Amino acid sequence: MNYESVIGLEVHAELSTNTKIYCSCKNEFGLDVNTSCCPICTGMPGTLPVLNKKVVEYAIKAGLALNCSITREGKQDRKNYFYPDLPKAYQISQFDLPLCTDGYVDIDVNGEKKRIGITRIHIEEDAGKLIHSVMGDESYVDFNRCGVPLIEIVSEPDLRSAEEARIYLETLKSILQYIEVSDCKMEEGSLRCDINVSLRPVGSDKFGTRSEMKNVSTLSGTQRAIEYEIGRQSEILDNGGVIEQETRRWDDAKGENVLLRSKEEAHDYRYFPEPDLMPIVVDDEWIESIRATLPEMPDVKKARYTGELGLGDYEAGIIVGNKSMARFFDKCVELGGNVKAVANWLQGDIMKVVKEQDITFDDISFTPEDLNELASIVDKGTISITAAKKVLAKMFETAEKPSKIVDDLGLAQINDESAIEAMVNDVLDKNPQSFEDYKNGKTRALGFLVGMVMKESKGKGNPQIINKMILERLEAYKNS
Amino acid sequence: MKVTTEQIKHVAELARLKLTDEEVKSLNMEAVIEFADKLSELDAEQIAPTNHVSDIYNVFREDVEVPSYDRDDILKNAPAKARGCVLVPKVVE
């Protein structure tokens, strides 16, 4: 039977605030275990949480970027469950009055625009980290992540394929990075998602029973996890079985999911209003002051690149998808650089070094002005592309001006036709056989001769001029 | 309102309480619920819902870091610890 898949995502993003959500401990990944902890985030009795204002602002900022309504009177609630990574035995979250509701995000599915609804965005605290001992029967608890602020972004069940879900997640990631509320480093767990999947016969408008999948923490994993789950459910339905409402855990290494909890074992969170925290009241003035901090959104930026700047869809997508690259590129454009050439350099040779050195475009040692200058001296024919690559490598090392590097390394291209002609004459005199070869149809004689002249010029002769000059001479001989 | 033995056992399980059968039987939960139900006799139609008993709102902290506790102090009350961590029985979900 043919099924349509119905998919909804719950995305957790850690906010990049300086401090935790309810205490002033540092919010940073990778610190030594239990060194960013205090009585509040470790859930000691008698402590009182105080909400970090920035968390509210970041959540509202995300809400505005995702076209949500902002809740004027919100509150926080306790979600109760026992697990060793949660020292209070409850997580402070938001139940019925999340900060943002009813938004949407437009995604681009192979050239077609699709609107995905955002049900809600709420704030909550992250739990700690358990390190399970491999041999023994104990676990080590690191509370550093306890109280790290999170936003949970819940989508409507509007996604219809694993690919759409992956694109949605990529889009969300790039928006959150653009508005600088989360670094969204999936490898550090700062962006994670739970996935709801159900199937229904094509043409049906009733939803099937859904399963929930936890522990998905890579973009490719998202797509594979959904494809796996669609396969699993189709097989059950095809064999006349029934889908159980259950929670499953994705195992990325094995590429399969396993049952975590059945419906009977489902958690009973017993939410109730958090008495230790006061309501959050948001007025127009506050919302507008947050709106004023929103930068150009990725889809608007991409439209500007493909429209005004005339970049191709693919290359515009690559630049927009990398925030620091886009920042560097925008600066180059603002300073009047050659748009296409700069875009090529950034995505090609510069990207390669950035990846190799594991840095961002913000950390590059030279400036957008320098890159514009490099593109411009190539445009003027002062240096060849091959020489320009050498200059670029030097720019990474020394951060010197391209023109100075060209002078220092003596890379300036020889464009003087009389100088080139002398070299061409010399090479042709030494290789009379090439004229015969060319006449007899061996066209590679041309390449050979151009190579010889390039060698003669120590790589500095303008290859276009050399090529043209030799071709004229060979053709003249052939037709004589 | 009737409270079944199963419901009592379920709530006890959620709260991680170990109750003997005698204790479950002796618990007069219906009386507790009846007592709370008294509230629903009040006509609250005209009263705006309150999210908090106090009328204070927007109590915030600025996002400024303060040095955390020394790890030894944080772990002082832990019944078991090793390698800078609290040690707990292995629970894998």
Side-chain angles (χ1 to χ4, degrees), chain A residues 195-257:
Chain A
I195 303 169
N196 293 300
V197 177
S198 68
L199 297 186
R200 63 185 175 193
V202 169
S204 162
D205 53 5
K206 253 177 59 189
F207 290 131
T209 307
R210 67 183 165 84
S211 69
E212 185 184 5
M213 224 176 339
K214 299 250 178 210
N215 196 35
V216 184
S217 57
T218 64
L219 281 170
S220 67
T222 304
Q223 182 156 353
R224 283 182 291 121
I226 295 170
E227 278 160 2
Y228 178 89
E229 182 59 16
I230 291 171
R232 191 188 69 88
Q233 291 191 17
S234 311
E235 204 176 305
I236 294 174
L237 293 171
D238 282 343
N239 291 320
V242 178
I243 304 297
E244 300 290 341
Q245 190 183 328
E246 57 194 20
T247 307
R248 306 186 67 87
R249 190 227 321 260
W250 173 247
D251 184 329
D252 204 49
K254 287 189 186 150
E256 60 181 37
N257 66 33

Side-chain angles (χ1 to χ4, degrees), chain A residues 157-177:
Chain A
D158 289 344
L159 299 157
R160 290 291 172 272
S161 71
E163 191 194 15
E164 277 184 23
R166 194 206 71 231
I167 295 170
Y168 163 76
L169 191 58
E170 279 170 356
T171 309
L172 217 53
K173 181 173 176 238
S174 103
I175 291 173
L176 296 178
Q177 285 174 330

